[in-house]
Amino acid sequence: MTLSHQLHQNLPVPHTLPSSATSILEAAAILRRGGLVAFPTETVYGLGADATNADAVAAIFEAKGRPAYNPLICHVANLAAAKRLGEFDARAEKLAQAFWPGALTLIVKRTSDCPAAAAVSAGLDSIAIRVPDHELALSLLVETDRPLAAPSANRSGAVSPTSAGHVAQSLGDNVDLILDGGNCRVGVESTVLAVDGATPVLLRPGGITIEDLRKVVGPIELAEIGDTDQPKSPGMLESHYAPNLAVRMNAHTATPDEAVLAFGPVLPENLNAALNLSPDGNLDQAAANLFDYLRALDQDNYTGIAVMPIPDHGIGRAINDRLRRAAAPRPSRPE
Ligand code: TXA
Ligand code: MG
């Protein structure tokens, strides 16, 4: 039995606290003892554990039902802390300077004395690192004084959480404490960029757009989703971010029993229960609403979720990536 399990059995859970100096101290103490704390970032809520504690890291995989081959992101307070975990060449440093704190995760080689548990990297010699742009997350990192491994705080394969309530729904008492920082500003996960090879490779579109990345580093390769022979990122599984209902993309019409996830001012006829990601057609607003609305429409009385077309540029790429995976066939969906 891991320390986290013992701790977990002794705590009245689920246990949610608003942001305050005291709740941050409590959260940091739990993390230093090897427990699990869900905390907000600007993208989505993370399920955090001390990245240097192998038992605590194992507890993340268990709580999420996450396959052991899918590595985790390490969150740190600044570039100096990142450099203790990974090797930053000039290019990686330039990216960090340009986008941190922010929704960019950099994959770099682990340092030879990297203190993060091997399971964080799922045994790879690289490590994913980011500095979140969120005051509460940064205070927690400073107070804990450890790198925090934190995947999105949901069951593996399910929709990511953008509020404390989503975390409680998804993980229940599998987490020792949930820090409530309100709704996440960005709403989709960080962009994952591998800078451990010759050309940077985009492994996951996210909160920082490819257009902005290219302005700083020039050419970027786009990894193919579902490139299962040689997955560059073990997290590039086809079905992911999936609600229970089937998801249908690029819908211009809907059947009467489908729930509609709309975008923009012109709505399909026959629509039922439409939630509009952004009536003005604003992609940032659509990203911020995406996961909350997918959850809200995911009800048994509908036959599926029909999603209207979303422009595929800027953060729209990240939105379409998540929707594509929500709509993907689900041969081996957990639960
Ligand atoms: O916005 C975010 O990135 C959120 C917040 C909490 O920071 N975190 C998040 O973590 O989305 P997660 O675990 O759901 O997604 C991490 C992604 C996965 O696709 C994983 O495969 C990839 O990053 N990844 C992590 N380490 C990697 C590595 N060493 N090499 C390649 N891909 C890696
Ligand atoms: Mg995730």
Side-chain angles (χ1 to χ4, degrees):
M1 181 185 279
T2 66
L3 179 58
S4 166
H5 289 138
Q6 291 158 6
L7 194 118
H8 169 108
Q9 285 175 353
N10 296 337
L11 275 174
V13 285
H15 181 42
T16 302
L17 289 175
S19 169
S20 72
T22 330
S23 62
I24 291 169
L25 282 178
E26 184 177 329
I30 292 172
L31 288 164
R32 281 199 299 264
R33 291 203 301 268
L36 299 182
V37 173
F39 63 94
T41 77
E42 79 279 33
T43 57
V44 300
Y45 275 70
L47 178 63
D50 176 357
T52 67
N53 178 334
D55 283 344
V57 170
I60 291 183
F61 283 92
E62 196 182 315
K64 278 186 61 94
R66 180 166 175 122
Y69 57 78
N70 193 1
L72 309 176
I73 299 174
C74 273
H75 298 69
V76 290
N78 50 48
L79 180 55
K83 286 180 171 174
R84 289 195 277 279
L85 301 172
E87 303 284 355
F88 281 70
D89 60 11
R91 185 182 55 185
E93 174 135 6
K94 193 174 171 192
L95 282 159
Q97 301 280 12
F99 296 106
W100 284 357
L104 175 66
T105 294
L106 294 171
I107 311 286
V108 294
K109 288 262 173 288
R110 287 170 69 106
T111 52
S112 55
D113 57 352
C114 176
V120 167
S121 297
L124 301 170
D125 62 0
S126 59
I127 186 161
I129 311 174
R130 89 176 183 103
V131 178
D133 185 13
H134 194 287
E135 212 180 311
L136 177 50
L138 290 170
S139 304
L140 182 64
L141 284 162
V142 169
E143 192 57 49
T144 311
D145 198 24
R146 310 273 166 87
L148 295 180
S152 51
N154 52 278
R155 292 282 303 170
S156 185
V159 178
S160 296
T162 54
S163 73
H166 294 166
V167 178
Q169 247 172 38
S170 208
L171 293 177
D173 57 7
N174 281 329
V175 51
D176 298 314
L177 176 67
I178 302 172
L179 281 179
D180 187 349
N183 295 337
C184 299
R185 177 170 54 80
V186 176
V188 291
E189 298 82 350
S190 62
T191 303
V192 179
L193 188 71
V195 285
D196 56 348
T199 309
V201 181
L202 182 87
L203 300 180
R204 178 176 76 182
I208 301 288
T209 65
I210 308 180
E211 292 89 336
D212 285 344
L213 288 174
R214 284 192 172 129
K215 282 182 209 148
V216 173
V217 280
I220 289 172
E221 259 179 55
L222 306 185
E224 289 296 317
I225 294 171
D227 182 2
T228 43
D229 287 347
Q230 198 95 81
K232 300 235 173 51
S233 183
M236 293 171 72
L237 309 170
E238 277 264 18
S239 175
H240 217 83
Y241 310 99
N244 288 313
L245 286 180
V247 173
R248 186 165 74 79
M249 291 182 74
N250 298 318
H252 292 278
T253 59
T255 64
D257 45 9
E258 273 181 318
V260 174
L261 186 58
F263 177 83
V266 184
L267 300 187
E269 283 173 28
N270 302 328
L271 58 89
N272 193 346
L275 283 176
N276 199 329
L277 289 169
S278 173
D280 301 336
N282 177 316
L283 288 172
D284 290 325
Q285 186 184 27
N289 288 328
L290 178 67
F291 292 143
D292 188 43
Y293 287 7
L294 274 177
R295 281 168 186 267
L297 295 178
D298 193 16
Q299 292 173 26
D300 289 345
N301 48 324
Y302 303 123
T303 54
I305 302 175
V307 187
M308 289 176 62
I310 316 277
D312 201 37
H313 57 78
I315 203 165
R317 276 188 194 245
I319 298 174
N320 283 319
D321 169 79
R322 305 306 185 268
L323 287 170
R324 245 188 319 272
R325 295 198 243 180
R330 306 170 185 182
S332 58
R333 254 198 93 197
E335 263 110 28

